[in-house]
Amino acid sequence: MAKQKKALPAPEPEGLDLIVRGGRVVTPEGIAEADLGVANGKIVRVASVIDDHASEILEAGGCYVFPGILDAHVHFNEPGRTEWEGLAHGSLALAAGGGTCFFDMPLNSEPPVIDAASLRAKRTLAEQKSCTDFALWGGLVPGNLDRLAGLRDAGAVGLKAFMCNSGVDSFQNIDAHSLREGMKRAAKLGLIVAVHAEDDALAARYTAEQKAKGRFNVRAYLASRPVEVELAAIRQALELAGETGCALHVVHVSSPEGLDLIAEAKAQRVDVSAETCPHYLLLNDKEVVKLGAVAKCAPVIRDERSRVALWSELRAGNIQTVGSDHSPAPPEMKTSKNFFAIWGGIAGVQHGFPLLINECLETLERDLPLFAAVLARNVARRFRLDEHKGLLAAGFDADFSLLRVSDQKHKITADELWTQHRISAYVGRQTRVRFTHTYVRGRPIWADGRIAPTAQKGKFIQPQR
Ligand SMILES: [Zn+2]
């Protein structure tokens, strides 16, 4: 007897995978009440009402639908120093704070990412472990000029260089000559160069002065890195960018004076952008003295006048991107009577961004579009990911979060941290802003304050060439 042919199942009606319904959608241009329609991980429609069939409806009434944050500055330390953080913990904490994509820095992982092979090794690990999408920085160090083309071909989002001691021996800081040569090469390769801008000789001299006076406390550390340490390095980097035509990104600018130098160079057509970090906008030097090791970073957090001025610079458009510079370390490296010996770096990937928004509650609807620019759109544009990342519009990846402002203040506790070590500069702070849901390419990563059970893993994102 001939086997009967099984009837084919009826084709599924053409529909959406997801509708995000009834939220207030934030873009750099403004805020609009709209629904998002998502199919195959992409936003396919933004309209005032979408009532098609969809497999999932996410009710967003009472929330802002915020573009997924692209954090262009994290140190997740994997491979090699996984016990400091790691890609799984780091990406989860990022997602809990509204982030959908991180750019991992080339140092603190071991081996450092200074050639194509080390970039590929980190990429493989992140594809297995990260719940958010990711891009990878390559390193520009003395002696790796001939490996920069390999880094580009392997998909590096840019090159990072240290103008002062990086703290790790495997990632050497760069002298002016190597930086010039590196920038020439990077310009040819179409790679942006990011610099940690602090002058090594000045920092070393002021540090030695403090130590010679027998001063080793937090105040001595702050005094060892006055603003001129940062300004001298920014000036030099700007000069070299102008001379070589290389695109320059100055990371973690801590001072309005530094931003002014960058704005002047930009006006003279130097291709430069500036990043600052939440901690420079949220904390001042007096709070650093109180907080101690959790608030140690370089460049140092400056006085209240500078903090307030940084907000003015942000609103004036002189800061193009805000990145967390999440840089954790095990607790035992954060305790020493000698403040200089404590590992520097602020862990803040989970709460830094929502806390920034919390600072603006009185002007929220005016400021949210600005945050959509500096946390998403500008980052995607500067690093050439803007064909598909950084904007809530049709054709873009469905990377977004739901942001809720509650009437009640919530006090941040160590228990709620998803980072490997429950250390953060922001424990104890009060906030009314939280991200309740985070979706990457249309799939939930973080939902109702919990990790969403999902098989989706992060995707390696490469710049458009
Ligand atoms: Zn950093």
Side-chain angles (χ1 to χ4, degrees), residues 11-95:
E12 285 271 312
E14 284 276 337
L16 297 168
D17 297 325
L18 168 69
I19 295 172
V20 186
R21 185 164 282 164
R24 291 175 65 70
V25 175
V26 185
T27 65
E29 276 65 51
I31 300 174
E33 261 170 47
D35 292 354
L36 299 185
V38 175
N40 300 318
K42 297 267 184 198
I43 299 168
V44 291
R45 252 159 74 204
V46 182
S48 52
V49 178
I50 300 176
D51 51 14
D52 303 36
H53 169 82
S55 334
E56 184 192 348
I57 306 285
L58 178 62
E59 294 295 347
C63 292
Y64 293 99
V65 185
F66 196 76
I69 294 169
L70 295 129
D71 187 349
H73 193 159
V74 305
H75 300 263
F76 287 163
N77 305 328
E78 186 164 356
R81 286 189 181 82
T82 315
E83 71 282 11
W84 290 24
E85 182 63 278
L87 294 156
H89 281 286
S91 63
L92 257 177
L94 172 71

Side-chain angles (χ1 to χ4, degrees), residues 175-228:
D175 54 279
H177 171 74
S178 307
L179 185 54
R180 177 182 285 113
E181 294 308 308
M183 280 185 163
K184 278 187 199 161
R185 191 72 63 100
K188 271 193 202 132
L189 293 168
L191 284 168
I192 189 168
V193 169
V195 290
H196 175 129
E198 286 189 291
D199 186 274
D200 196 51
L202 283 177
R205 190 206 303 166
Y206 291 128
T207 301
E209 274 177 25
Q210 291 298 320
K211 289 179 176 174
K213 289 184 204 159
R215 300 186 66 219
F216 290 89
N217 62 11
V218 51
R219 285 194 175 84
Y221 175 72
L222 293 173
S224 75
R225 294 179 111 92
V227 72
E228 66 172 290

Side-chain angles (χ1 to χ4, degrees), residues 73 75 105 107 160 162 196 252 325 327:
H73 193 159
H75 300 263
M105 282 294 172
L107 72 163
K160 167 80 179 288
F162 260 73
H196 175 129
H252 52 47
D325 195 5
S327 189

Side-chain angles (χ1 to χ4, degrees), residues 26-359:
V26 185
T27 65
E29 276 65 51
I31 300 174
E33 261 170 47
D35 292 354
L36 299 185
V38 175
N40 300 318
K42 297 267 184 198
I43 299 168
V44 291
R45 252 159 74 204
V46 182
S48 52
V49 178
I50 300 176
D51 51 14
D52 303 36
H53 169 82
S55 334
E56 184 192 348
I57 306 285
L58 178 62
E59 294 295 347
C63 292
Y64 293 99
V65 185
F66 196 76
I69 294 169
L70 295 129
D71 187 349
H73 193 159
V74 305
H75 300 263
F76 287 163
N77 305 328
E78 186 164 356
R81 286 189 181 82
T82 315
E83 71 282 11
W84 290 24
E85 182 63 278
L87 294 156
H89 281 286
S91 63
L92 257 177
L94 172 71
T100 54
C101 184
F102 64 84
F103 300 9
D104 197 54
M105 282 294 172
L107 72 163
N108 296 6
S109 52
E110 206 62 59
V113 177
I114 52 174
D115 55 24
S118 46
L119 189 136
R120 286 196 197 98
K122 188 184 276 187
R123 172 184 173 170
T124 303
L125 282 170
E127 283 170 340
Q128 291 160 4
K129 296 185 175 185
S130 175
C131 66
T132 67
D133 287 347
F134 64 96
L136 298 176
W137 286 98
L140 171 61
V141 293
N144 81 331
L145 271 189
D146 293 335
R147 285 174 273 171
L148 302 182
L151 279 167
R152 185 206 49 188
D153 295 343
V157 75
L159 300 170
K160 167 80 179 288
F162 260 73
M163 298 176 76
C164 64
N165 191 316
S166 78
V168 286
D169 293 338
S170 61
F171 198 93
Q172 289 294 309
N173 57 295
I174 203 152
D175 54 279
H177 171 74
S178 307
L179 185 54
R180 177 182 285 113
E181 294 308 308
M183 280 185 163
K184 278 187 199 161
R185 191 72 63 100
K188 271 193 202 132
L189 293 168
L191 284 168
I192 189 168
V193 169
V195 290
H196 175 129
E198 286 189 291
D199 186 274
D200 196 51
L202 283 177
R205 190 206 303 166
Y206 291 128
T207 301
E209 274 177 25
Q210 291 298 320
K211 289 179 176 174
K213 289 184 204 159
R215 300 186 66 219
F216 290 89
N217 62 11
V218 51
R219 285 194 175 84
Y221 175 72
L222 293 173
S224 75
R225 294 179 111 92
V227 72
E228 66 172 290
V229 172
E230 179 175 47
L231 299 184
I234 291 178
R235 264 188 216 105
Q236 185 175 55
L238 289 171
E239 224 176 273
L240 293 175
E243 184 189 318
T244 59
C246 179
L248 174 68
H249 184 60
V250 185
V251 299
H252 52 47
V253 180
S254 70
S255 62
E257 296 87 345
L259 292 166
D260 291 345
L261 291 177
I262 292 165
E264 278 165 33
K266 233 174 137 65
Q268 290 165 29
R269 299 188 163 270
V270 175
D271 182 1
V272 59
S273 48
E275 172 200 76
T276 195
C277 311
H279 39 269
Y280 299 113
L281 292 158
L282 293 168
L283 301 170
N284 64 29
D285 55 351
K286 291 205 171 82
E287 287 161 300
V288 174
V289 170
K290 275 189 228 149
L291 287 166
V294 291
K296 181 180 176 182
C297 62
V300 296
I301 290 167
R302 307 203 184 274
D303 59 11
E304 181 63 10
R305 180 202 65 84
S306 289
R307 189 188 73 84
V308 171
L310 282 183
W311 278 99
S312 306
E313 299 271 0
L314 184 72
R315 293 197 169 103
N318 288 337
I319 296 170
Q320 283 72 45
T321 71
V322 178
S324 68
D325 195 5
H326 178 70
S327 189
E332 57 274 19
M333 294 182 74
K334 297 298 257 184
T335 51
S336 169
K337 282 198 172 148
N338 173 2
F339 203 81
F340 290 94
I342 288 169
W343 185 265
I346 289 184
V349 73
Q350 188 173 331
H351 291 104
F353 303 127
L355 280 170
L356 280 185
I357 295 169
N358 188 65
E359 287 290 291

